[in-house]
Amino acid sequence: MTRTLHLNAFLMNTGHHEASWRLPESDPYTHVDLAHYVRLARIAERGTFDSLFLADGPQLWSNLAQRPAGALEPLTLLTALATATEHIGLIATASTSYNSPYNLARKFASLDIISGGRAGWNIVTTAGAEAARNFGLDAEPAHAERYARAAEFLDVALKLWDSWEDDAIVADKAAGVWGDDTKIHPARHQGTYFSVAGALNVPRTPQGYPLLVQAGSSQDGRAFAARYAEAVFTAQQTLADAQAFYADLKSRTERAGRDPAHIKVLPGIIPVIGSTEAEACAAEQLLEDHIVHEHGVARLEHLLHLEPGTLDLDRELPAD
């Protein structure tokens, strides 16, 4: 039996390792350098990767001392990469919590047309008080509410992408008829979170709608993926956990009335590459040697919701 391995390149500025920007050959400004991303995209395309992926969030990540911070807006960046590549899929992360369906559907439709049908949307609901405060909220909406909004958001986006029939454009020069108004279908959506009246102002795209990708592993996230997703990113920490996640997602997809074979699971790995194992280990050690210890401690304090400066690595973690 022939099996196909799907490969996706998760591009993260100078690299996923927090010390990658400190290597002698690294440029600490490449996270906002278009030429850097063009080079990476072309390498991935030559390597026959299916797609490349850009994470995103509407807040400033990390502290500026630790690693390059700030990022180019992914749909803008992928539009530029679309003109520099020919085949590779272009997946952008965009939040359903802090966008509106009409504008975001228009942006993804535009990327799909510009790229010749290579756009993908990593659908996220955006957790965290930092992002909420950037949009006038005191706290993030509840987890279940975020996913309820996401489901309605995507339903509206699908209506908008389907608001043009495939043959709505007639382009009959002799008759003076460019399009057929009877093949335009306004969204006419009135729901809990959104009210959208009209049709999309971008014609039908090569794919119809972008590849739908999801990356949540919570119960709500898995249910959302089973209903909508065509590909799912995951990062389980053990083989057993990864196998259990895969089986659960496939089962949920079938129960949702979809063919489980139509949803692809993409487990994340961060490889360190060398021509030999010893060479790869040496490269890994070089990265580890460039970690600033204090940054790691501060990051751990943040993850554990501890006050800065309270964690002593020579003592047990606080009881709470």
Side-chain angles (χ1 to χ4, degrees):
M1 179 179 68
T2 300
R3 301 181 67 183
T4 301
L5 184 65
H6 294 284
L7 297 174
N8 170 76
F10 183 169
L11 306 185
M12 186 174 179
N13 53 57
T14 60
H16 284 255
H17 195 285
E18 69 169 77
S20 58
W21 69 276
R22 299 189 65 209
L23 297 179
E25 65 272 25
S26 293
D27 180 349
Y29 300 99
T30 53
H31 66 303
V32 289
D33 182 0
L34 175 60
H36 168 70
Y37 286 100
V38 167
R39 183 177 66 85
L40 294 180
R42 287 174 171 170
I43 290 172
E45 186 166 73
R46 286 201 309 272
T48 67
F49 274 53
D50 292 82
S51 56
L52 61 84
F53 163 84
L54 299 176
D56 193 52
Q59 74 277 346
L60 181 61
W61 289 344
S62 185
N63 63 73
L64 296 188
Q66 184 174 357
R67 62 173 300 152
L72 298 173
E73 192 283 315
L75 279 161
T76 305
L77 177 54
L78 290 182
T79 300
L81 295 184
T83 67
T85 56
E86 296 180 5
H87 308 294
I88 196 165
L90 306 167
I91 302 172
T93 298
S95 172
T96 58
S97 299
Y98 304 115
N99 279 297
S100 66
Y102 197 97
N103 276 343
L104 199 59
R106 184 188 188 195
K107 291 177 181 179
F108 273 106
S110 299
L111 176 61
D112 203 51
I113 289 172
I114 291 169
S115 66
R118 294 186 281 141
W121 176 17
N122 179 40
I123 307 163
V124 298
T125 61
T126 307
E130 296 94 338
R133 289 193 290 267
N134 289 338
F135 293 86
L137 302 176
D138 294 329
E140 62 180 325
H143 191 272
E145 182 182 356
R146 294 202 310 273
Y147 272 97
R149 176 188 167 96
E152 185 179 335
F153 191 114
L154 184 50
D155 287 339
V156 176
L158 290 168
K159 288 179 182 178
L160 290 167
W161 291 321
D162 284 335
S163 61
W164 291 62
E165 292 188 24
D166 291 344
D167 56 352
I169 299 175
V170 177
D172 187 340
K173 293 182 179 180
V177 177
W178 185 84
D180 185 347
D181 284 306
T182 67
K183 296 186 176 182
I184 299 297
H185 307 285
R188 296 193 178 94
H189 178 89
Q190 186 71 45
T192 303
Y193 299 97
F194 305 106
S195 176
V196 180
L200 195 64
N201 61 348
V202 179
R204 186 76 169 174
T205 76
Q207 293 187 100
Y209 55 86
L211 177 76
L212 301 179
V213 182
Q214 191 269 348
S217 292
S218 68
Q219 296 303 308
D220 288 333
R222 296 183 194 200
F224 185 87
R227 180 178 172 186
Y228 294 107
E230 297 165 290
V232 172
F233 296 142
T234 185
Q236 308 302 317
Q237 299 302 307
T238 68
L239 177 58
D241 287 344
Q243 290 170 332
F245 176 88
Y246 180 93
D248 178 62
L249 184 61
K250 293 287 186 172
S251 176
R252 288 172 183 263
T253 304
E254 187 170 27
R255 293 199 301 272
R258 300 174 59 208
D259 183 352
H262 289 169
I263 187 169
K264 307 301 181 186
V265 180
L266 306 175
I269 62 168
I270 304 177
V272 179
I273 305 299
S275 57
T276 64
E277 183 175 354
E279 186 177 299
C281 288
E284 180 186 34
Q285 188 59 54
L286 182 62
L287 286 165
E288 298 294 291
D289 290 343
H290 279 81
I291 291 177
V292 177
H293 195 72
E294 290 73 16
H295 294 335
V297 173
R299 178 64 177 157
L300 186 58
E301 287 173 335
H302 178 76
L303 290 172
L304 296 175
H305 303 287
L306 297 173
E307 289 297 321
T310 63
L311 183 61
D312 186 340
L313 294 187
D314 292 326
R315 297 181 180 178
E316 292 184 354
L317 292 174
D320 60 353

